[in-house]
């Protein structure tokens, strides 16, 4: 009953359009006072400060900055041209280019919103100019953007690792195969839809020379994922240090291509700071909320209930999937992580769910939430420049959501898929 009461209050505050961080903090304060533990409110500043001081969390503002530098520095244009030369002739045309370009860009930014807001604008304009319906084009941009946080580097993986103390490097490796499965599934769905809706497609396959030219122009941006993952795997730098390396790399490339000017930097830095502070404020408030959950021994009560009803690992996974998908309709993905993980982690451990694979599954689930109306963050990010309306995006997104959901179930119930690479390259735990 206490669990239901806490989450009911939180949901009411969110429905009243109170900012997520404030709603989480207010819920914690209300229940500490209501339960007669008001004296523990003195811990609020300490818990909020403690929640944002982890070394791993330093990666988040730097990956955000890297994405913003790439969007301004001309890197996204070169990635798009390279993807167009490689797959522009496949059924679905520029829609396929959209997906492949997002796969490449995901190896640098780790953020769905950065992909949608930067590369997405280029993709949307090109597709509309080619004759695509604006709503179909915007939907493809939104859908392809959620590949970013699954293929490393990934801001959600960094956040998950910081909360759970799971190796971020292993999480990065575990995201590769699911991310590729997502992209292939989307491409297959697009082939089917392209034939039904007569999407335009280039009739000419790019020549070898054209592909080589596009590759040369995109060579240094394509090296960014190699540097990041290679450096982490060889132990040359940690995932957190990798975020700084990719920022410096993006900055140098922007100046090298002469697309980035010194006068652009203040605006980029300010935008990155604003985005980072917004996320870190949520993390700070959620740390106090997590402390409330643990203090009231809510996970223990849930575990006792599940065991007494004979729950199995599969049953627990289905329950978690249902809860996260429902919350995804109303909450931003990172907030879902921060609210639910203090409860889910002890449960996952008791029922012997691999925590690396669980991190991948949770990330896939919040990516579905980013595309789920009424509050899908990627839908709003794309509509900010596409101007086609959330209802149109919501109608078009369902075929791709089904594909991502099926892949999520495969990863959840066949852990070997995601764990193959980390176990192969880093050994079993």
């Amino acid at each position: 009953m206490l669990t239901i009461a806490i989450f009911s209050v939180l949901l009411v505050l969110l429905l009243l359009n109170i900012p997520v961080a404030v709603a989480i903090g207010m819920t914690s304060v209300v229940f500490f006072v209501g339960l007669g533990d008001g004296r523990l409110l003195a811990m609020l500043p300490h818990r909020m400060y403690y929640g944002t001081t982890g070394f791993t969390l330093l990666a988040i503002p730097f990956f955000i900055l890297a994405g913003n530098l790439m969007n301004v520095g001309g890197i996204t244009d070169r990635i798009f041209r390279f993807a167009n030369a490689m797959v522009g002739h496949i059924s679905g045309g520029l829609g396929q280019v959209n997906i492949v370009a997002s796969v490449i860009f995901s190896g640098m930014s780790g953020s769905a919103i950065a992909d949608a807001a930067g590369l997405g604008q280029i993709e949307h304009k090109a597709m509309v100019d080619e004759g695509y319906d604006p709503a179909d084009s915007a939907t493809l941009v939104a859908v392809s953007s959620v590949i970013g946080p699954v293929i490393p580097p990934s801001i959600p993986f960094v956040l998950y690792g910081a909360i759970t103390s799971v190796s971020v490097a292993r999480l990065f490796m575990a995201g590769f195969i699911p991310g590729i499965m997502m992209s292939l599934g989307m491409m297959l769905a697009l082939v089917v839809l392209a034939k039904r809706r007569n999407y335009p497609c280039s009739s000419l396959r790019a020549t070898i020379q054209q592909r080589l030219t596009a590759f040369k122009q995109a060579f240094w941006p394509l090296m960014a994922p190699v540097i990041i993952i290679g450096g982490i795997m060889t132990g040359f730098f940690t995932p957190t240090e990798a975020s700084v390396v990719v920022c410096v790399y993006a900055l140098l490339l922007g100046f090298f291509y002469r697309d980035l000017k010194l006068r652009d930097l203040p605006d980029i830095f300010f935008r990155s700071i604003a985005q980072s502070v917004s996320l870190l404020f949520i993390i700070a408030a959620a740390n106090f909320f997590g402390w409330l959950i643990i203090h009231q021994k809510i996970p223990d009560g849930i575990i006792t209930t599940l065991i007494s009803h004979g729950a199995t690992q599969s049953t627990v996974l289905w329950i978690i999937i249902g809860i996260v998908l429902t919350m995804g309709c109303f909450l931003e993905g990172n907030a879902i992580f921060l609210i639910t993980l203090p409860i889910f982690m002890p449960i996952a451990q008791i029922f012997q769910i691999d925590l690396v694979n669980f991190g991948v599954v949770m990330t896939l689930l919040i990516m579905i939430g980013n595309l789920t109306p009424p509050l899908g963050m990627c839908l709003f990010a794309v509509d900010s420049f596409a101007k086609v309306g959330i209802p149109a995006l919501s109608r078009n997104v369902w075929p791709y959501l089904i594909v991502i959901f099926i892949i999520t179930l495969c990863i959840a119930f066949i852990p070997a898929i995601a764990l193959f690479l980390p176990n192969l390259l880093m050994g079993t735990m």
Side-chain angles (χ1 to χ4, degrees):
M1 291 302 296
L2 179 60
T3 305
I4 294 172
I6 289 174
F7 283 96
S8 297
V9 170
L10 178 59
L11 181 59
V12 169
L13 292 176
L14 291 170
L15 292 175
L16 292 174
N17 206 29
I18 294 174
V20 174
V22 177
I24 293 172
M26 286 178 63
T27 302
S28 305
V29 170
V30 166
F31 276 91
F32 268 123
V33 173
L35 294 168
D37 290 322
R39 65 187 184 281
L40 295 178
L41 292 181
M43 293 293 292
L44 174 60
H46 175 265
R47 298 304 306 184
M48 292 184 72
Y49 172 76
Y50 176 78
T52 58
T53 54
F55 177 72
T56 305
L57 290 176
L58 280 175
I60 292 176
F62 284 108
F63 278 130
I64 290 173
L65 174 59
N68 288 332
L69 286 169
M70 291 171 196
N71 286 332
V72 176
I75 294 173
T76 49
D77 295 287
R78 287 170 171 79
I79 291 173
F80 183 77
R81 288 197 293 267
F82 172 70
N84 192 19
M86 299 304 294
V87 299
H89 61 283
I90 299 176
S91 180
L94 287 179
Q96 304 287 7
V97 174
N98 187 333
I99 296 169
V100 172
S102 293
V103 170
I104 298 170
F105 189 76
S106 69
M108 290 173 266
S109 75
S111 167
I113 302 301
D115 189 341
L119 184 63
Q121 295 190 52
I122 299 169
E123 294 167 336
H124 178 67
K125 182 179 184 304
M127 292 171 71
V128 172
D129 291 345
E130 187 77 10
Y132 277 77
D133 177 78
D136 289 345
S137 169
T139 301
L140 275 167
V141 170
V143 167
S144 64
S145 69
V146 302
I147 299 172
V150 181
I151 294 179
S154 163
I155 290 176
F157 284 162
V158 170
L159 186 57
Y160 179 88
I163 296 170
T164 63
S165 299
V166 172
S167 167
V168 175
R170 293 188 73 90
L171 288 166
F172 278 7
M173 292 300 101
F176 262 116
I177 293 177
I180 297 301
M181 289 174 64
M182 282 177 65
S183 59
L184 293 175
M186 290 177 189
M187 293 176 76
L188 182 60
L190 179 57
V191 168
V192 175
L193 290 173
K195 292 178 179 178
R196 291 183 178 179
R197 301 179 183 179
N198 295 317
Y199 288 161
C201 173
S202 174
S203 57
L204 297 175
R205 183 191 298 262
T207 65
I208 297 296
Q209 185 58 44
Q210 289 172 328
R211 290 182 177 181
L212 284 174
T213 300
F215 175 73
K216 289 177 182 177
Q217 292 174 344
F219 177 77
W220 292 113
L222 292 173
M223 285 297 101
V226 176
I227 293 170
I228 294 170
I229 304 304
I232 293 172
M233 289 306 302
T234 57
F236 194 74
F237 41 71
T238 66
T240 303
E241 291 164 346
S243 66
V244 180
V245 171
V246 74
C247 281
V248 175
Y249 191 74
L251 188 65
L252 293 176
L253 281 184
F255 287 137
F256 176 74
Y257 291 134
R258 298 182 180 177
D259 293 311
L260 183 65
K261 304 291 188 292
L262 282 174
R263 63 174 177 270
D264 297 326
L265 294 181
D267 180 62
I268 294 172
F269 290 151
F270 181 80
R271 194 175 340 124
S272 301
I273 290 170
Q275 293 168 350
S276 300
V277 168
S278 176
L279 177 53
L280 290 171
F281 186 27
I282 296 174
I283 293 173
N287 191 263
F288 190 60
F289 181 83
W291 194 51
L292 166 68
I293 297 297
I294 294 169
H295 183 268
Q296 296 301 318
K297 298 182 179 179
I298 288 175
D300 297 344
I302 295 175
I303 290 169
T304 301
T305 302
L306 290 171
I307 292 175
S308 66
H309 285 81
T312 63
Q313 185 185 91
S314 296
T315 305
V316 170
L317 280 171
W318 277 113
I319 292 171
I320 290 174
I321 288 170
I323 291 171
V324 177
L325 288 178
T326 303
M327 294 181 72
C329 296
F330 306 100
L331 275 176
E332 189 268 337
N334 292 316
I336 295 174
F337 257 176
L338 295 160
I339 292 170
T340 61
L341 283 180
I343 298 174
F344 289 163
M345 287 306 297
I347 297 173
Q349 290 171 323
I350 288 293
F351 285 90
Q352 298 181 330
I353 298 171
D354 185 273
L355 296 186
V356 173
N357 192 65
F358 187 61
V360 177
V361 172
M362 285 290 291
T363 301
L364 287 166
L365 290 172
I366 67 171
M367 289 305 103
I368 293 175
N370 279 342
L371 296 172
T372 307
L375 296 177
M377 295 299 293
C378 287
L379 299 183
F380 281 94
V382 170
D383 190 55
S384 66
F385 58 82
K387 307 297 182 185
V388 296
I390 299 300
L393 290 172
S394 301
R395 287 192 298 271
N396 290 346
V397 79
W398 289 106
Y400 303 101
L401 279 176
I402 292 170
V403 169
I404 301 173
F405 180 66
I406 292 171
I407 291 169
T408 302
L409 293 181
C410 290
I411 303 302
F413 294 101
I414 312 175
I417 297 174
L419 298 179
F420 173 75
L421 273 182
N423 289 343
L424 176 67
L425 300 174
M426 307 176 72
T428 56
M429 294 180 64

